[in-house]
Amino acid sequence: MMENRSRNYAGTFNSEVIKWRQIAAKIWSIVFIFFFILCHSVTANLDLLNNFSGILTGFFGNLFYLYFWSYSSIILIIFWIMFMFNDNLFRVSHKVYSNNFEKLLQIVYSMNMVCILANFISTLFISSMLLQFYESKEHLSLWYITSFCAFSNLVYKLKFTFNGKYLLNWPIIEQPKYCRFKSKVYKTALNTVKSVFYNLILWNIFYFGSGLVGTFFGLTEESQSLFSTWIVCLKLSFLINFSHAFSWDLYEIYMTEIYHFNVQPIDASDLPLATAMSLNSHPYIQTLSLIDFADLSIYSKARRNQIFSLNFSNQPVNWNKISNEALNVIKDFMEVFSFDDMLHGSDKQNRQMDEVVYKRTGVLSPMRDLASPLKSPIRKAHLNETYVIPAKSPMKLTKSLDQHVNSFGFKFTQSLIEKLKKQKYFAMIYKENVNYKTQQLFVDSFLVINALKGLSNMTMASLTEDEYGIVQQNLSDIINTFVNLQKVVEKFNKTSPSGSVSFRILQKLHPDQIDLYIQKLTFVLNESIYKITHTFGSSLRSLSLDQDVMRRLQKYQLKQ
C-alpha cells in the first residue's frame, strides 16, 4: 500500500515538475542553437574586406531561404534527440570507483557508451549539414572536417563522462536562472575553445602521421588551402561542442532549481514536504525536498509558521513528520558505519576477502533502496542470500563466493594486476583510489548537510516563532543525533572536529569530489551544534543529555 502511494506521488511529480523542467531546458537549448546556425550561415561566406556591409542583410535574408530551414530543421532534430540522453544519464548521487579501469568498464557497459557513440555518429551528420552553407567547398577537405568534428566530439563526451559531469551541481545560494547561466557561459566557451585547439593538434598528428587514413579518405597533405580547412574545422567543432556544453549547463540550471513543496497537502495527489523527504527510492525528489527544507528554514517565515502550527487535535503533526524524516536521513547515514569493523579492520589475512565482500555487496547509503521507500532499509539491504552476517564479526562468504575467490582465473587476474601496478606508467593510468571505502560511505553527504541545515535553523527560529514549544519535545533527540554524527565523522576525517573549512574552498566544490564534501559536512555539523548551543545557552542543561554530550557542548562555549 505504501509502495503504491509512493509510486503515485513520484509519478505525479515526474509528469508535473520534472518533465516540464527537462522540456523547458531542451526548448531553450534549441532556440540558442538555432541562433548559432543562423550566425554560421551568415559568416560561412563572409568576406570582411568586401562584404562587411552585408552582414545584417544576410542575417535576416537567410530566414527567407528554403534550404536554410531544411538544413536547420534536420540539425535541430538531431540535437533534440541527443539531448534526450540527459534525461536518463543525469545523477544526483555520487559513484565511487576503486580505480580508473573500473570506471572505464562501467562507462563501456552502460548507457553512457550508447550516448557517446550516438553523439559521434550524429556529429558526422551535423557537420556535413553545416558545410552545406558554404557556397564554394572545392578548397575544403570535407572528409577531413567532418571526421575531425566527430573526433573532437568523441573526445569531449569521453572526458565529460569520465570526469563525472553528469552529476548535478547544486548551487550554494539560490540565484535567478539568467544569473546562473550568465556566470557559466564565459567559462564554458573558454574551455571549449581550449579543448578544440588541443583536439585539432591531436587530430593532425594522427592524420598526417598515418598515410592509410589519407589514402582512405582520398586526402593528402597537399590539400588546397589547408589553413582555410583548419579554420572551418575549429569553427564547426566549436559550434557543435559548445552547443552540447551549454545545453547541459541549461539542463543543470533547470534541474537544480529549487522547488517549494507544500507543507500541508492541498489535495490527495499533492506531494507534501514530509512525504517527499521520505522517498529515498527517488533520490532526485528527496534531494529537492531536503534543499527546500534547508531553504525555508532560513528565508520563509510563513512556511516555518506552518510547520510550527498545530492541527485540529492540537498535535504538532507537521513538525513531527518533517523533523523525524530529517533525523531519519541522518540516522540512516550513520547506520552504514556499523560495518566499520569490516572496512577498517586490522586483520591482514581477511583484508583481501573484505574487499571482495565490499564490492559484491555494494555498501552504499540506504537512501537507494527500491523495496521500501518510506523507511530505512539498512537492516535488510545487506541481507543477501549469498552472505551470512554474524552479530559480532565481519560478513563471511558462503561456498559459492569462496569458490569464485579461489578460482584460477580470479587469482591469475589479481596477480597480473598487482604486477602491472608496479610499473610506473601503468600505475599512472590505473590510478587506484586509496580512499575508496571511505568515499563509498560518504556518498550521501549532501543529503545529510541539508538535513543538518534545516534542523539547526528551525531550532534557532523556534526560540522566537514557536509559540507552543513543540521543538523542545525532541530537542534532545536532535542534539544527540548531531553529536553521534560528529563522533562518526571524527573517525574518518583527519582534521579536528572543531576545525573550520575555507568558504572559498566550499564555493569551488566540485560535485564529484567526495573528500571535500566530508570537509563540508564537518563544517556544517560544527556550525549546527554551535547555533543550537548559542541559541539556548545554559537552558540545555535541563534536557536529558549524557555527560559526554554535555562535554562536547562545552567546547562550543556553552553559557554557565
Side-chain angles (χ1 to χ4, degrees), residues 83-152:
F83 294 159
M84 293 176 64
F85 281 99
N86 294 336
D87 299 341
N88 298 321
L89 296 178
F90 83 93
R91 296 184 288 110
V92 295
S93 58
H94 297 82
K95 286 186 179 180
V96 183
Y97 303 96
S98 59
N99 52 70
N100 284 342
F101 276 7
E102 182 183 355
K103 183 190 295 187
L104 187 60
L105 288 176
Q106 289 290 337
I107 293 174
V108 171
Y109 295 101
S110 66
M111 181 63 69
N112 291 294
M113 182 54 63
V114 177
C115 175
I116 292 172
L117 295 178
N119 275 275
F120 177 82
I121 297 173
S122 64
T123 304
L124 290 173
F125 288 99
I126 293 174
S127 58
S128 61
M129 291 293 175
L130 293 175
L131 283 172
Q132 301 304 316
F133 291 102
Y134 289 92
E135 294 179 358
S136 56
K137 298 184 287 291
E138 294 79 8
H139 63 287
L140 300 176
S141 301
L142 302 184
W143 271 109
Y144 178 91
I145 297 173
T146 54
S147 56
F148 166 72
C149 291
F151 168 77
S152 180

Side-chain angles (χ1 to χ4, degrees), residues 263-264 296 300-310 318 458 461 464-468 470:
V263 176
Q264 297 177 342
L296 72 87
S300 180
K301 183 177 180 180
R303 300 177 70 199
R304 289 197 302 268
N305 291 334
Q306 286 184 328
I307 296 176
F308 292 142
S309 63
L310 304 177
N318 293 330
M458 291 295 293
T464 56
E465 300 177 10
D466 183 11
E467 299 178 0
Y468 308 102
I470 60 177

Side-chain angles (χ1 to χ4, degrees), residues 424-435:
K424 178 180 179 181
Y425 297 105
F426 181 84
M428 292 173 59
I429 300 174
Y430 188 79
K431 198 177 181 180
E432 187 172 3
N433 185 4
V434 294
N435 298 324

Side-chain angles (χ1 to χ4, degrees), residues 406-547:
N406 296 325
S407 64
F408 174 77
F410 182 83
K411 291 182 178 180
F412 176 77
T413 305
Q414 290 293 108
S415 60
L416 179 62
I417 293 177
E418 290 297 327
K419 291 180 181 179
L420 291 175
K421 282 164 61 177
K422 298 179 182 179
Q423 304 297 324
K424 178 180 179 181
Y425 297 105
F426 181 84
M428 292 173 59
I429 300 174
Y430 188 79
K431 198 177 181 180
E432 187 172 3
N433 185 4
V434 294
N435 298 324
Y436 168 67
K437 294 181 179 180
T438 302
Q439 290 180 357
Q440 274 279 45
L441 297 173
F442 283 89
V443 290
D444 280 328
S445 298
F446 185 72
L447 299 178
V448 180
I449 288 170
N450 286 283
L452 290 171
K453 288 180 179 180
L455 287 172
S456 60
N457 292 327
M458 291 295 293
T459 304
M460 285 182 59
S462 67
L463 187 64
T464 56
E465 300 177 10
D466 183 11
E467 299 178 0
Y468 308 102
I470 60 177
V471 176
Q472 299 178 13
Q473 297 179 9
N474 60 347
L475 182 58
S476 58
D477 189 17
I478 294 175
I479 296 176
N480 286 326
T481 304
F482 285 9
V483 172
N484 291 334
L485 178 61
Q486 190 179 60
K487 294 177 183 178
V488 169
V489 174
E490 285 177 4
K491 296 180 182 179
F492 294 88
N493 193 8
K494 297 181 180 180
T495 60
S496 61
S498 59
S500 61
V501 183
S502 171
F503 184 75
R504 183 176 298 177
I505 294 178
L506 298 182
Q507 262 188 326
K508 296 180 179 180
L509 184 66
H510 189 274
D512 211 29
Q513 294 179 355
I514 303 181
D515 293 336
L516 290 181
Y517 261 120
I518 300 176
Q519 300 295 324
K520 186 175 182 180
L521 177 61
T522 307
F523 177 83
V524 174
L525 177 58
N526 291 320
E527 180 190 33
S528 301
I529 300 177
Y530 177 85
K531 288 177 180 179
I532 296 177
T533 54
H534 278 256
T535 298
F536 293 95
S538 58
S539 301
L540 296 176
R541 300 181 187 278
S542 60
L543 299 176
S544 56
L545 299 173
D546 297 336
Q547 293 182 357

